[in-house]
Amino acid sequence: MIAGQTPLKVSIAATLASLLLLVVVFELIRSRRLRERYALLWVLTGIVLLVLSAWRGGLNTTAGWVGVETYPPAVLFAVALLFVLAVLLHYSTVLSKLSDQNVILAQRVALLEERLSSESTPEAEPERAPAEAAAPASPAR
Amino acid sequence: MKKLAIVPAYNEEGAIGGVVDEIRAFDPGFDVVVIDDASADRTAEAAARRGARVVRLPFNLGIGGAVQTGFRYAFDGDYDIVARIDGDGQHDPAQLSKLLPVVLGGEADVCVGSRFAGADGYRSSGVRRIGIRILARTVSLLTGQRLTDTTSGFQVLNRRAIALFAQDYPHDYPEVEAAVMVHKHRLRLAEAPVSMREREHGSSSITALRSIYYMAKVLLAVIVGMFRRSATPAEGG
């Protein structure tokens, strides 16, 4: 069976859009607003979309593989959607990790504050006093 | 002159004590700070028992975040010289004698102990070795300086480098990006041949699949980094 052809204008528009995505991602990394760790998936997305947009034969062949016969650019949408899903899922794991770490930080800060305030007012700790009273028994004093 | 040894450690309770002792044996003038990167074992206790200062991170930051904690400690404590030594025992503190003179003599701001610069061979698994070579080649190309081992964490740094890294240090797998940063900020980087030991305890934190991820990430960071305008390094003090 013969797959349909991608309209030239669609290819040009999609190529420009992919390039724009790559340039924006690059600029965000360069200006330190996006960490490399989180940029990697975006870079991969941009490259895959760029290849599928610019390489018209490749898009038509891929469309043939997955059974899209009438309109190959539909594959572009599908691939883009898949990558956006992957990025979102990745964000969910990052968000989960961040909220776990946030809890740990809050607990650490609260415990440190408690320790600081109890050190600045030693009489607030009745347990320590008997131990210190017992100390003079040592021959060092 | 205040000297500090920064020892990042993650689950190294078996090796960390020996590392601290060896640093003291090499030069008692070194203060030792162990950065415990949220180990699950008793790394912090083992280090403290040998008289090291211990900074315990509240959760795992990875090697870059752990080492930068050490640089911040060094910067705040007005240290003039920092030696970076891994907590797993693969770096022999006695070999600091090869790195220290280069920095103390003013020939370089950062001196890296290289496994490949000298005749002394270093055996590493095939994939990792190739990865190390590719990264070294890339960095050599970008900096215009022949470097043989850009993944070595065995380093001696002066105050200018401490100030730079206290302010900005790469994450995850930092040595490669740090080498490019040093170049961009017009600090001088030198290598000195050292031999490293086989790991005594634990296993390397980098497995085969992760190496590919790290390679991609580090290459991206290094290439984008070359297009970054560099801030002038903060003056020490």
Side-chain angles (χ1 to χ4, degrees), chain A residues 113-123 125:
Chain A
E113 274 186 345
E114 192 279 332
R115 198 193 295 173
L116 276 179
S117 65
S118 62
E119 267 172 18
S120 59
T121 53
E123 58 270 27
E125 276 185 295

Side-chain angles (χ1 to χ4, degrees), chain B:
Chain B
M1 175 169 289
K2 290 182 75 181
K3 293 178 289 186
L4 177 72
I6 297 175
V7 186
Y10 177 60
N11 290 343
E12 298 289 358
E13 65 177 4
I16 192 72
V19 173
V20 174
D21 286 349
E22 282 178 343
I23 295 168
R24 286 272 161 71
F26 169 73
D27 182 354
F30 266 98
D31 290 340
V32 182
V33 62
V34 171
I35 313 294
D36 175 19
D37 197 6
S39 297
D41 66 3
R42 302 180 67 78
T43 299
E45 288 83 347
R49 220 179 299 125
R50 306 298 177 98
R53 300 297 303 264
V54 179
V55 175
R56 301 185 74 159
L57 294 171
F59 41 77
N60 190 272
L61 291 184
I63 182 73
V67 170
Q68 193 187 21
T69 309
F71 285 130
R72 292 226 156 106
Y73 183 96
F75 186 78
D76 292 347
D78 290 325
Y79 285 92
D80 305 295
I81 292 285
V82 154
R84 228 202 91 180
I85 298 158
D86 279 0
D88 59 10
Q90 67 168 323
H91 302 153
D92 177 7
Q95 300 209 9
L96 284 174
S97 60
K98 296 176 182 170
L99 307 183
L100 275 170
V102 180
V103 175
L104 290 175
E107 291 165 49
D109 299 296
V110 182
C111 186
V112 179
S114 167
R115 288 160 283 192
F116 307 116
D120 210 6
Y122 170 78
R123 275 171 299 140
S124 178
S125 70
V127 184
R128 268 191 82 189
R129 199 189 167 112
I130 292 168
I132 289 170
R133 293 275 186 190
I134 291 174
L135 289 174
R137 277 290 175 82
T138 310
V139 173
S140 300
L141 206 70
L142 290 173
T143 61
Q145 179 184 2
R146 208 185 95 83
L147 299 170
T148 56
D149 192 355
T150 47
T151 49
S152 166
F154 193 32
Q155 306 176 345
V156 170
L157 309 92
N158 67 9
R159 182 73 188 164
R160 292 180 72 194
I162 296 168
L164 171 63
F165 289 151
Q167 186 190 318
D168 184 13
Y169 199 64
H171 289 212
D172 293 335
Y173 196 39
E175 291 82 12
V176 184
E177 292 169 60
V180 177
M181 275 178 66
V182 164
H183 171 75
K184 288 281 287 182
H185 287 84
R186 298 180 201 289
L187 301 188
R188 292 155 304 155
L189 183 72
E191 281 187 339
V194 296
S195 53
M196 292 192 190
R197 296 183 289 216
E198 301 287 321
R199 300 175 59 90
E200 292 166 9
H201 303 266
S203 58
S204 173
S205 53
I206 295 154
T207 62
L209 194 70
R210 295 191 96 189
S211 336
I212 296 169
Y213 162 75
Y214 280 129
M215 277 282 287
K217 212 221 78 175
V218 168
L219 283 177
L220 177 69
V222 163
I223 290 164
V224 176
M226 287 306 287
F227 290 90
R228 226 169 241 155
R229 257 193 310 274
S230 58
T232 46
E235 285 304 317

Side-chain angles (χ1 to χ4, degrees), chain A residues 2-96:
Chain A
I2 297 152
Q5 289 295 303
T6 309
L8 184 64
K9 279 187 179 173
V10 170
S11 291
I12 292 171
T15 304
L16 289 178
S18 315
L19 280 175
L20 184 67
L21 174 65
L22 282 172
V23 168
V24 168
V25 169
F26 180 89
E27 179 53 28
L28 284 175
I29 305 173
R30 202 190 63 80
S31 60
R32 295 179 181 283
R33 278 176 288 170
L34 180 58
R35 283 223 162 272
E36 290 85 2
R37 186 192 294 191
Y38 305 116
L40 219 48
L41 206 47
W42 281 120
V43 171
L44 191 67
T45 306
I47 289 173
V48 168
L49 287 180
L50 182 64
V51 167
L52 282 179
S53 311
W55 183 33
R56 291 154 58 75
L59 183 61
N60 292 338
T61 312
T62 314
W65 286 343
V66 295
V68 177
E69 286 157 31
T70 49
Y71 191 61
V75 172
L76 268 184
F77 292 113
V79 170
L81 192 68
L82 208 68
F83 271 98
V84 169
L85 274 181
V87 169
L88 281 178
L89 198 61
H90 180 227
Y91 282 175
S92 300
T93 65
V94 171
L95 206 63
S96 306

